[in-house]
Amino acid sequence: MPPTMAQIDNPKIAFAYLRPACVLLTQKPTVTNVETLSTQLIDVNDATLQQLQEYVLFPLRFVLKVPGPKKENLVLAVAEAMNHILENTCVQSWDTLYGLFSELCLCLCSPTDPGKPADTSEELKLSVLRCLNSLLHSAFGDIVFKFFEPSMLPGLGAAISLLLALGEKEKSRDIQTASLKCLLALTLQCDCSQDHVVPSTEEQCNIGSTMASFLPGITTAITRIITGDVRQGYAVTVRAIKVWSRSVGLVIEDAQLQASEPIKNSSLELGRIGELMVVRTQDWVKSTVVRLSGFLKKIISCTSAHQHWRVRLEMLELADHLLAKCSHSLGECVGQLLEAVVGAVNDEEDTVRKRCETVLRELSQKNQSCSSSTQTFTDVLSENLHSLATSLPRLMRTSDDQKKLFVLNVFLGYLKLLGPLVSVVLNSAAHLERISKALMQVLELNVMDVRIVEERNYVTTLETSSGCHSCSAHTQRKRFLYFTDERIFSVLKEICQTLGYYGNIYLLTDHFLDLYQQSSAYRKQAAMVLNEIVRGAAGTAVVNERQSFEGQDLKHTATREDLRAAVVSVIEEYISLKNWHLMTVSEETDRDRQDQQLLSPSRLLSISNIATNTNSLQVSSSSFGSLSPTVHQLNSNIWQLCIQLEGIACFAQALGGDFRPLLMTSLYPVLEKAGEETLLVSQAALGSMRDISNACGYCSLKELISKNSDYLLNDISLNLQRLSQHPQAPRVLTVMLTHSDCNLLPLVGDIVEDLLMALDLSNDHRAGLFCSVLHALLKALARWFPSCGRRTGQPVTVKQTSAHKEAFSICQFLLDQRKQRELAEGIGIEEDIIGDLDPPPADCEDIDDLGGPDVKIELPTHLSITKAVMERCIHLLSDPSLKIRLKVLDILELCVGVLSERENELLPMAHRCWPPLLQRLTADDPLAVLRAFRVLCTLGEVCGDFLRRRVSKEILPKLSASLTRQAPVSAKAGPVYTHTIAYKLQLAVLQGLGSLCQRLDLSEADLEVVCEACLPYLSSRQPVRLQDASLSVFKHLIQVDPDALWFTLNELHCPSHYVPPHPELQPVQLNGMGRRRDEYSDNVLQLLREEFGSDVEIAS
């Protein structure tokens, strides 16, 4: 690149250099001549250009003054040349300043209607606006103040109207922004980085007095821009907000309005111009503030929840600027400005949030330092708080989520701004009542979701071996009636926490407990508020934020003793009988209805009256039967329990280690709800248990239960003795067993006996509940004492396929056949008998023990418990309730697994349970048959020899007949069939039948029956899973008798022709030879290839 030429710094040389271009432009005003001058101007340095400013501006101004229409590109070139001159020089003459200002404004306005913008290109308007901005910034000294003399009112008003019209009606964002920027520069309120003229106090008053005439028009037009189309972009809105705040601050400034001598002007000298002057009297200020209040309300509602954070930040700056300069003059607008400030307390943008904290801190310090205004400031805040609390329910019903979030942030901001004065405000009954009722209405839950009632906790509790994170894998989010955004709920919780942090804990808990007790409509909301109030009173959720806001930690009112007393009173209310034992299940049986009635207060009052016990129960049941709880009521009860459980966890976190003494009264009810059938309640209880464990310093739920097991088990033992009054006691034991280890077993031995005794006495009423406990007990025993895997039957000798055997010997085969024939004819049988009569030596050693006493070895505790439970299962297997029968079958399966290590105990029990189990297998609901077959498979694994004859005689014929009968149905069924019970039963039988036959080592006849029943399921027309299950059956049967199965499969489809090894031997003929490919071919060939190593191909 060529080196840059040095600029001309000699005025004479510069004059000689620029003169030809200036003269030519004056003579011939063309674009080319303007561009030539612009190019030469770049070669002159700023100091020299300053001296020649008037000279070089003359031809450019002359072009603009030429009468008649001008080409746009010519005016554009002139504006760009002027802009270069004005950016690099200062205008020192008022005449030049005013002349250029007028000429540029004429370029922007319409020739026919000077009050409207000209219909020119956007490029021209933007260039002229930039030139105008440079002109206002280049004004030197105090000449710019002449704009604000009374005689300039008409011209100044026209310019302001023109700039406002450009800012409001232009479609180009750049033009809108540039016009608003010029308006700021014209009123000396520009905030750019250039140097600006700083007016004195008197000059500032003159500017304010002059701009007072234009304030209504400016604020009206700018308000329309701010609240206009959101598509105009954030930059236009930000600039408009700045114009609005600077204009209002300039005219309504407290310092100007409090001046002792107002500016006087001679209206006689001004003539009609004097009519345009505005005197800022008190009446004028009041009427203006009323109009500004309406504008401000619109602006705040439009920008407070704006999607762009810069708009929200500028709105914060507006409030800060006006509160700092006009707090006394603005009067009723102060509350709205405070609303705008506090609404940004929880803004999602860090920049806005930090700026808000700074503004609030400055406001607090300012009002604390000025004691005369502190009371007024507090009054304004408390009145705003009361007003907002009054309108909060309406706003939450009618506004969108963004508006709701802003309103709640404003509410929270007022509380934070009041700080310790919140307790003073809450001492007003009107304020407390209004705030509490607003929270009650806003926090109303939507309890119409049917899924909450439908979800059941089939796996009552989670295994202790699972990770702690898995316990909360499924949590139900609260659904509120008036909002859906989760951020709104977070702000509401923070509001309650702030109330608890600064308010009187006794006053708040008593008030919200009264609301809790007054009406069931407020109960859930009051509980949520109480939970957060206690959390806030503990200081854990608020203290950090207050430190960053105030710079120091302000001590809140609640002491540790106050907090503990409040927690005790709230917990007592939560776990009271009427608020804890609520109906959560829709399908109530007679037994459930009796249990619910036993929990009613009237029933408990008459429980001691034994003589009228039966009649009382009948009356209670009939009265309860008349009630039909709706989904709404059930959901409401479920959510109330969940919120109360969350509250107990919250109280534990608030008190920490001080909560341990309260475990004696609160832990048992929580464990009771952890065993609830309703999924949402049980999950909330488990979550509460985890939070309590962490808060009290326990490492796990296991340690929590272990350390408190003494009084928990004592309560369970006492309640089992009065089971009619405490029917939920078994559920507590269920949860304890699920979340404990084997160290609990010695402690629960007596309780298990009590439980079994209670089951014997009242199994017709609460058998289902007891079965759940026994199931949990057996699961715990199976987990604590895993089986060693030893089986009672003899292992089955697996017959290897020909691939793993030695070469076949015809000679040996014939010799063995001869020996078997001789034995059948009695030849050589004497030697075998003599050999069988020789006693084994080991038996001789036990001869001395034959006369001793038969002492039975005492069983270990877990085996004796299992045996006792299994005895009850034998009786309950015939229970009329299908639900109980299914649960008992599950328990029986666990019992078999635990007792498998003691053959002499298991076999008698298996013998006793066989008749009812046979009934479940052969004459019961398909679900029960399915579960019973699983028990049969488990029995077959641990006592195969014992079951062989029974299964062969009583089970296999019926199972085979069922499979044969159902095979055509499943072969023709569509995809919906896989969701039926019949399909599931088929699948379960096929999946377990093969291993059962292999374990029992069945006879050839039995294997043939099974084989015939399963052959239809090798068809490709069957569902895929049934085909796979059938393949598994044949794979197990092949291990028992490979020869017979090979023959059966080849009879169905034989892929090869077998040539005899010698001509004298007859050729082998199988029915499956020569058959074309059919529905069985694929599965048969798969079995032959995988199990017998046949290298075959499917014939087409």
Side-chain angles (χ1 to χ4, degrees), residues 469-493:
H469 64 277
S470 63
C471 298
S472 58
H474 175 84
T475 54
Q476 183 76 23
R477 186 171 65 89
K478 294 183 181 68
R479 299 184 182 274
F480 294 90
L481 200 59
Y482 298 120
F483 61 88
T484 57
D485 194 337
E486 195 66 26
R487 294 176 298 173
I488 295 177
F489 184 44
S490 299
V491 177
L492 284 168
K493 290 194 294 185

PDB file of all heavy atoms in Angstrom, residues 469-493:
ATOM      1  N   HIS A 469     -30.476 -41.915  45.068  1.00  0.00           N
ATOM      2  CA  HIS A 469     -31.062 -41.113  43.999  1.00  0.00           C
ATOM      3  C   HIS A 469     -32.233 -41.806  43.337  1.00  0.00           C
ATOM      4  O   HIS A 469     -33.113 -41.174  42.793  1.00  0.00           O
ATOM      5  CB  HIS A 469     -30.000 -40.788  42.955  1.00  0.00           C
ATOM      6  CG  HIS A 469     -29.476 -42.005  42.248  1.00  0.00           C
ATOM      7  ND1 HIS A 469     -28.496 -42.783  42.791  1.00  0.00           N
ATOM      8  CD2 HIS A 469     -29.818 -42.588  41.068  1.00  0.00           C
ATOM      9  CE1 HIS A 469     -28.225 -43.793  41.958  1.00  0.00           C
ATOM     10  NE2 HIS A 469     -29.020 -43.677  40.906  1.00  0.00           N
ATOM     11  N   SER A 470     -32.240 -43.133  43.388  1.00  0.00           N
ATOM     12  CA  SER A 470     -33.329 -43.848  42.726  1.00  0.00           C
ATOM     13  C   SER A 470     -34.636 -43.723  43.475  1.00  0.00           C
ATOM     14  O   SER A 470     -35.689 -43.953  42.927  1.00  0.00           O
ATOM     15  CB  SER A 470     -32.962 -45.330  42.585  1.00  0.00           C
ATOM     16  OG  SER A 470     -32.820 -45.921  43.857  1.00  0.00           O
ATOM     17  N   CYS A 471     -34.567 -43.358  44.755  1.00  0.00           N
ATOM     18  CA  CYS A 471     -35.788 -43.220  45.535  1.00  0.00           C
ATOM     19  C   CYS A 471     -36.659 -42.089  45.023  1.00  0.00           C
ATOM     20  O   CYS A 471     -37.858 -42.099  45.211  1.00  0.00           O
ATOM     21  CB  CYS A 471     -35.431 -42.985  47.004  1.00  0.00           C
ATOM     22  SG  CYS A 471     -34.519 -44.347  47.746  1.00  0.00           S
ATOM     23  N   SER A 472     -36.058 -41.120  44.419  1.00  0.00           N
ATOM     24  CA  SER A 472     -36.801 -39.977  43.926  1.00  0.00           C
ATOM     25  C   SER A 472     -36.925 -39.991  42.411  1.00  0.00           C
ATOM     26  O   SER A 472     -37.044 -38.968  41.768  1.00  0.00           O
ATOM     27  CB  SER A 472     -36.120 -38.680  44.378  1.00  0.00           C
ATOM     28  OG  SER A 472     -34.793 -38.652  43.920  1.00  0.00           O
ATOM     29  N   ALA A 473     -36.855 -41.200  41.843  1.00  0.00           N
ATOM     30  CA  ALA A 473     -36.883 -41.288  40.383  1.00  0.00           C
ATOM     31  C   ALA A 473     -38.211 -40.807  39.822  1.00  0.00           C
ATOM     32  O   ALA A 473     -38.274 -40.270  38.740  1.00  0.00           O
ATOM     33  CB  ALA A 473     -36.611 -42.727  39.950  1.00  0.00           C
ATOM     34  N   HIS A 474     -39.291 -40.999  40.604  1.00  0.00           N
ATOM     35  CA  HIS A 474     -40.615 -40.599  40.094  1.00  0.00           C
ATOM     36  C   HIS A 474     -41.230 -39.667  41.119  1.00  0.00           C
ATOM     37  O   HIS A 474     -41.579 -40.076  42.218  1.00  0.00           O
ATOM     38  CB  HIS A 474     -41.494 -41.838  39.904  1.00  0.00           C
ATOM     39  CG  HIS A 474     -42.887 -41.500  39.509  1.00  0.00           C
ATOM     40  ND1 HIS A 474     -43.253 -41.254  38.200  1.00  0.00           N
ATOM     41  CD2 HIS A 474     -44.016 -41.347  40.246  1.00  0.00           C
ATOM     42  CE1 HIS A 474     -44.545 -40.995  38.153  1.00  0.00           C
ATOM     43  NE2 HIS A 474     -45.023 -41.038  39.388  1.00  0.00           N
ATOM     44  N   THR A 475     -41.333 -38.395  40.805  1.00  0.00           N
ATOM     45  CA  THR A 475     -41.955 -37.431  41.686  1.00  0.00           C
ATOM     46  C   THR A 475     -43.000 -36.670  40.896  1.00  0.00           C
ATOM     47  O   THR A 475     -42.813 -36.344  39.733  1.00  0.00           O
ATOM     48  CB  THR A 475     -40.918 -36.447  42.258  1.00  0.00           C
ATOM     49  OG1 THR A 475     -40.205 -35.849  41.165  1.00  0.00           O
ATOM     50  CG2 THR A 475     -39.948 -37.157  43.183  1.00  0.00           C
ATOM     51  N   GLN A 476     -44.102 -36.382  41.562  1.00  0.00           N
ATOM     52  CA  GLN A 476     -45.206 -35.695  40.918  1.00  0.00           C
ATOM     53  C   GLN A 476     -45.084 -34.199  41.176  1.00  0.00           C
ATOM     54  O   GLN A 476     -44.986 -33.764  42.319  1.00  0.00           O
ATOM     55  CB  GLN A 476     -46.537 -36.221  41.473  1.00  0.00           C
ATOM     56  CG  GLN A 476     -47.753 -35.620  40.814  1.00  0.00           C
ATOM     57  CD  GLN A 476     -48.009 -36.210  39.441  1.00  0.00           C
ATOM     58  OE1 GLN A 476     -47.576 -37.294  39.149  1.00  0.00           O
ATOM     59  NE2 GLN A 476     -48.727 -35.465  38.615  1.00  0.00           N
ATOM     60  N   ARG A 477     -45.077 -33.420  40.112  1.00  0.00           N
ATOM     61  CA  ARG A 477     -44.987 -31.969  40.264  1.00  0.00           C
ATOM     62  C   ARG A 477     -46.359 -31.415  40.629  1.00  0.00           C
ATOM     63  O   ARG A 477     -47.368 -31.843  40.106  1.00  0.00           O
ATOM     64  CB  ARG A 477     -44.493 -31.346  38.963  1.00  0.00           C
ATOM     65  CG  ARG A 477     -44.226 -29.864  39.038  1.00  0.00           C
ATOM     66  CD  ARG A 477     -43.533 -29.386  37.783  1.00  0.00           C
ATOM     67  NE  ARG A 477     -44.381 -29.511  36.609  1.00  0.00           N
ATOM     68  CZ  ARG A 477     -45.214 -28.560  36.188  1.00  0.00           C
ATOM     69  NH1 ARG A 477     -45.283 -27.418  36.835  1.00  0.00           N
ATOM     70  NH2 ARG A 477     -45.947 -28.747  35.116  1.00  0.00           N
ATOM     71  N   LYS A 478     -46.368 -30.462  41.529  1.00  0.00           N
ATOM     72  CA  LYS A 478     -47.627 -29.839  41.928  1.00  0.00           C
ATOM     73  C   LYS A 478     -48.201 -29.058  40.755  1.00  0.00           C
ATOM     74  O   LYS A 478     -47.484 -28.334  40.072  1.00  0.00           O
ATOM     75  CB  LYS A 478     -47.408 -28.916  43.123  1.00  0.00           C
ATOM     76  CG  LYS A 478     -46.987 -29.621  44.403  1.00  0.00           C
ATOM     77  CD  LYS A 478     -46.862 -28.625  45.544  1.00  0.00           C
ATOM     78  CE  LYS A 478     -46.425 -29.325  46.823  1.00  0.00           C
ATOM     79  NZ  LYS A 478     -45.045 -29.822  46.739  1.00  0.00           N
ATOM     80  N   ARG A 479     -49.491 -29.185  40.566  1.00  0.00           N
ATOM     81  CA  ARG A 479     -50.182 -28.456  39.501  1.00  0.00           C
ATOM     82  C   ARG A 479     -51.141 -27.461  40.156  1.00  0.00           C
ATOM     83  O   ARG A 479     -52.028 -27.860  40.907  1.00  0.00           O
ATOM     84  CB  ARG A 479     -50.938 -29.423  38.583  1.00  0.00           C
ATOM     85  CG  ARG A 479     -50.026 -30.415  37.883  1.00  0.00           C
ATOM     86  CD  ARG A 479     -50.807 -31.281  36.907  1.00  0.00           C
ATOM     87  NE  ARG A 479     -49.934 -32.261  36.281  1.00  0.00           N
ATOM     88  CZ  ARG A 479     -49.205 -32.021  35.202  1.00  0.00           C
ATOM     89  NH1 ARG A 479     -49.260 -30.835  34.626  1.00  0.00           N
ATOM     90  NH2 ARG A 479     -48.427 -32.950  34.684  1.00  0.00           N
ATOM     91  N   PHE A 480     -50.928 -26.199  39.857  1.00  0.00           N
ATOM     92  CA  PHE A 480     -51.717 -25.150  40.487  1.00  0.00           C
ATOM     93  C   PHE A 480     -52.828 -24.693  39.546  1.00  0.00           C
ATOM     94  O   PHE A 480     -52.760 -24.857  38.324  1.00  0.00           O
ATOM     95  CB  PHE A 480     -50.821 -23.973  40.874  1.00  0.00           C
ATOM     96  CG  PHE A 480     -49.829 -24.319  41.952  1.00  0.00           C
ATOM     97  CD1 PHE A 480     -48.575 -24.803  41.626  1.00  0.00           C
ATOM     98  CD2 PHE A 480     -50.162 -24.182  43.291  1.00  0.00           C
ATOM     99  CE1 PHE A 480     -47.670 -25.132  42.605  1.00  0.00           C
ATOM    100  CE2 PHE A 480     -49.257 -24.515  44.273  1.00  0.00           C
ATOM    101  CZ  PHE A 480     -48.011 -24.990  43.945  1.00  0.00           C
ATOM    102  N   LEU A 481     -53.825 -24.086  40.148  1.00  0.00           N
ATOM    103  CA  LEU A 481     -55.016 -23.714  39.387  1.00  0.00           C
ATOM    104  C   LEU A 481     -54.789 -22.477  38.539  1.00  0.00           C
ATOM    105  O   LEU A 481     -55.345 -22.357  37.445  1.00  0.00           O
ATOM    106  CB  LEU A 481     -56.175 -23.474  40.360  1.00  0.00           C
ATOM    107  CG  LEU A 481     -57.587 -23.540  39.789  1.00  0.00           C
ATOM    108  CD1 LEU A 481     -57.854 -24.901  39.169  1.00  0.00           C
ATOM    109  CD2 LEU A 481     -58.610 -23.256  40.886  1.00  0.00           C
ATOM    110  N   TYR A 482     -53.934 -21.559  39.011  1.00  0.00           N
ATOM    111  CA  TYR A 482     -53.824 -20.258  38.346  1.00  0.00           C
ATOM    112  C   TYR A 482     -52.479 -20.007  37.687  1.00  0.00           C
ATOM    113  O   TYR A 482     -52.260 -18.918  37.170  1.00  0.00           O
ATOM    114  CB  TYR A 482     -54.112 -19.144  39.360  1.00  0.00           C
ATOM    115  CG  TYR A 482     -55.502 -19.197  39.921  1.00  0.00           C
ATOM    116  CD1 TYR A 482     -55.723 -19.348  41.279  1.00  0.00           C
ATOM    117  CD2 TYR A 482     -56.617 -19.130  39.085  1.00  0.00           C
ATOM    118  CE1 TYR A 482     -57.005 -19.415  41.800  1.00  0.00           C
ATOM    119  CE2 TYR A 482     -57.905 -19.197  39.596  1.00  0.00           C
ATOM    120  CZ  TYR A 482     -58.085 -19.335  40.952  1.00  0.00           C
ATOM    121  OH  TYR A 482     -59.361 -19.411  41.450  1.00  0.00           O
ATOM    122  N   PHE A 483     -51.575 -20.945  37.689  1.00  0.00           N
ATOM    123  CA  PHE A 483     -50.318 -20.756  36.974  1.00  0.00           C
ATOM    124  C   PHE A 483     -49.683 -22.116  36.698  1.00  0.00           C
ATOM    125  O   PHE A 483     -50.010 -23.120  37.349  1.00  0.00           O
ATOM    126  CB  PHE A 483     -49.348 -19.854  37.754  1.00  0.00           C
ATOM    127  CG  PHE A 483     -48.938 -20.387  39.110  1.00  0.00           C
ATOM    128  CD1 PHE A 483     -47.851 -21.243  39.250  1.00  0.00           C
ATOM    129  CD2 PHE A 483     -49.639 -20.045  40.246  1.00  0.00           C
ATOM    130  CE1 PHE A 483     -47.477 -21.728  40.478  1.00  0.00           C
ATOM    131  CE2 PHE A 483     -49.281 -20.532  41.493  1.00  0.00           C
ATOM    132  CZ  PHE A 483     -48.191 -21.369  41.598  1.00  0.00           C
ATOM    133  N   THR A 484     -48.780 -22.116  35.716  1.00  0.00           N
ATOM    134  CA  THR A 484     -48.083 -23.346  35.329  1.00  0.00           C
ATOM    135  C   THR A 484     -46.568 -23.208  35.398  1.00  0.00           C
ATOM    136  O   THR A 484     -45.873 -24.217  35.451  1.00  0.00           O
ATOM    137  CB  THR A 484     -48.470 -23.739  33.893  1.00  0.00           C
ATOM    138  OG1 THR A 484     -48.170 -22.655  33.001  1.00  0.00           O
ATOM    139  CG2 THR A 484     -49.956 -24.070  33.798  1.00  0.00           C
ATOM    140  N   ASP A 485     -46.068 -21.976  35.372  1.00  0.00           N
ATOM    141  CA  ASP A 485     -44.629 -21.755  35.364  1.00  0.00           C
ATOM    142  C   ASP A 485     -44.040 -22.096  36.730  1.00  0.00           C
ATOM    143  O   ASP A 485     -44.494 -21.579  37.766  1.00  0.00           O
ATOM    144  CB  ASP A 485     -44.330 -20.295  35.007  1.00  0.00           C
ATOM    145  CG  ASP A 485     -42.859 -20.091  34.640  1.00  0.00           C
ATOM    146  OD1 ASP A 485     -42.018 -20.908  35.069  1.00  0.00           O
ATOM    147  OD2 ASP A 485     -42.558 -19.114  33.925  1.00  0.00           O
ATOM    148  N   GLU A 486     -43.026 -22.952  36.738  1.00  0.00           N
ATOM    149  CA  GLU A 486     -42.407 -23.375  37.995  1.00  0.00           C
ATOM    150  C   GLU A 486     -41.718 -22.205  38.692  1.00  0.00           C
ATOM    151  O   GLU A 486     -41.580 -22.197  39.925  1.00  0.00           O
ATOM    152  CB  GLU A 486     -41.400 -24.494  37.710  1.00  0.00           C
ATOM    153  CG  GLU A 486     -40.951 -25.270  38.946  1.00  0.00           C
ATOM    154  CD  GLU A 486     -42.072 -26.078  39.572  1.00  0.00           C
ATOM    155  OE1 GLU A 486     -43.016 -26.450  38.860  1.00  0.00           O
ATOM    156  OE2 GLU A 486     -42.007 -26.316  40.793  1.00  0.00           O
ATOM    157  N   ARG A 487     -41.294 -21.198  37.920  1.00  0.00           N
ATOM    158  CA  ARG A 487     -40.637 -20.042  38.535  1.00  0.00           C
ATOM    159  C   ARG A 487     -41.597 -19.261  39.427  1.00  0.00           C
ATOM    160  O   ARG A 487     -41.176 -18.664  40.431  1.00  0.00           O
ATOM    161  CB  ARG A 487     -40.071 -19.130  37.443  1.00  0.00           C
ATOM    162  CG  ARG A 487     -38.952 -19.737  36.623  1.00  0.00           C
ATOM    163  CD  ARG A 487     -38.540 -18.791  35.514  1.00  0.00           C
ATOM    164  NE  ARG A 487     -39.646 -18.533  34.592  1.00  0.00           N
ATOM    165  CZ  ARG A 487     -39.598 -17.633  33.618  1.00  0.00           C
ATOM    166  NH1 ARG A 487     -38.512 -16.899  33.450  1.00  0.00           N
ATOM    167  NH2 ARG A 487     -40.629 -17.471  32.812  1.00  0.00           N
ATOM    168  N   ILE A 488     -42.866 -19.266  39.080  1.00  0.00           N
ATOM    169  CA  ILE A 488     -43.857 -18.567  39.909  1.00  0.00           C
ATOM    170  C   ILE A 488     -43.958 -19.222  41.272  1.00  0.00           C
ATOM    171  O   ILE A 488     -43.999 -18.536  42.312  1.00  0.00           O
ATOM    172  CB  ILE A 488     -45.217 -18.566  39.186  1.00  0.00           C
ATOM    173  CG1 ILE A 488     -45.123 -17.744  37.897  1.00  0.00           C
ATOM    174  CG2 ILE A 488     -46.315 -18.030  40.083  1.00  0.00           C
ATOM    175  CD1 ILE A 488     -46.394 -17.739  37.071  1.00  0.00           C
ATOM    176  N   PHE A 489     -43.964 -20.533  41.302  1.00  0.00           N
ATOM    177  CA  PHE A 489     -44.019 -21.239  42.584  1.00  0.00           C
ATOM    178  C   PHE A 489     -42.756 -20.966  43.403  1.00  0.00           C
ATOM    179  O   PHE A 489     -42.821 -20.818  44.636  1.00  0.00           O
ATOM    180  CB  PHE A 489     -44.197 -22.733  42.337  1.00  0.00           C
ATOM    181  CG  PHE A 489     -44.353 -23.548  43.595  1.00  0.00           C
ATOM    182  CD1 PHE A 489     -45.176 -23.129  44.622  1.00  0.00           C
ATOM    183  CD2 PHE A 489     -43.662 -24.741  43.746  1.00  0.00           C
ATOM    184  CE1 PHE A 489     -45.317 -23.880  45.774  1.00  0.00           C
ATOM    185  CE2 PHE A 489     -43.792 -25.490  44.896  1.00  0.00           C
ATOM    186  CZ  PHE A 489     -44.625 -25.056  45.919  1.00  0.00           C
ATOM    187  N   SER A 490     -41.613 -20.873  42.743  1.00  0.00           N
ATOM    188  CA  SER A 490     -40.373 -20.571  43.462  1.00  0.00           C
ATOM    189  C   SER A 490     -40.436 -19.197  44.117  1.00  0.00           C
ATOM    190  O   SER A 490     -40.004 -19.022  45.258  1.00  0.00           O
ATOM    191  CB  SER A 490     -39.184 -20.637  42.496  1.00  0.00           C
ATOM    192  OG  SER A 490     -39.062 -21.918  41.934  1.00  0.00           O
ATOM    193  N   VAL A 491     -40.991 -18.216  43.400  1.00  0.00           N
ATOM    194  CA  VAL A 491     -41.117 -16.873  43.982  1.00  0.00           C
ATOM    195  C   VAL A 491     -42.104 -16.879  45.141  1.00  0.00           C
ATOM    196  O   VAL A 491     -41.883 -16.225  46.172  1.00  0.00           O
ATOM    197  CB  VAL A 491     -41.544 -15.863  42.900  1.00  0.00           C
ATOM    198  CG1 VAL A 491     -41.753 -14.483  43.502  1.00  0.00           C
ATOM    199  CG2 VAL A 491     -40.510 -15.788  41.801  1.00  0.00           C
ATOM    200  N   LEU A 492     -43.201 -17.617  44.992  1.00  0.00           N
ATOM    201  CA  LEU A 492     -44.164 -17.711  46.095  1.00  0.00           C
ATOM    202  C   LEU A 492     -43.527 -18.323  47.339  1.00  0.00           C
ATOM    203  O   LEU A 492     -43.767 -17.866  48.463  1.00  0.00           O
ATOM    204  CB  LEU A 492     -45.367 -18.543  45.650  1.00  0.00           C
ATOM    205  CG  LEU A 492     -46.369 -17.841  44.728  1.00  0.00           C
ATOM    206  CD1 LEU A 492     -47.343 -18.844  44.136  1.00  0.00           C
ATOM    207  CD2 LEU A 492     -47.120 -16.760  45.477  1.00  0.00           C
ATOM    208  N   LYS A 493     -42.714 -19.350  47.148  1.00  0.00           N
ATOM    209  CA  LYS A 493     -42.024 -19.936  48.296  1.00  0.00           C
ATOM    210  C   LYS A 493     -41.067 -18.936  48.930  1.00  0.00           C
ATOM    211  O   LYS A 493     -40.960 -18.857  50.157  1.00  0.00           O
ATOM    212  CB  LYS A 493     -41.268 -21.197  47.864  1.00  0.00           C
ATOM    213  CG  LYS A 493     -42.168 -22.371  47.513  1.00  0.00           C
ATOM    214  CD  LYS A 493     -41.406 -23.677  47.433  1.00  0.00           C
ATOM    215  CE  LYS A 493     -40.434 -23.690  46.291  1.00  0.00           C
ATOM    216  NZ  LYS A 493     -39.773 -25.011  46.141  1.00  0.00           N
TER     217      LYS A 493
END
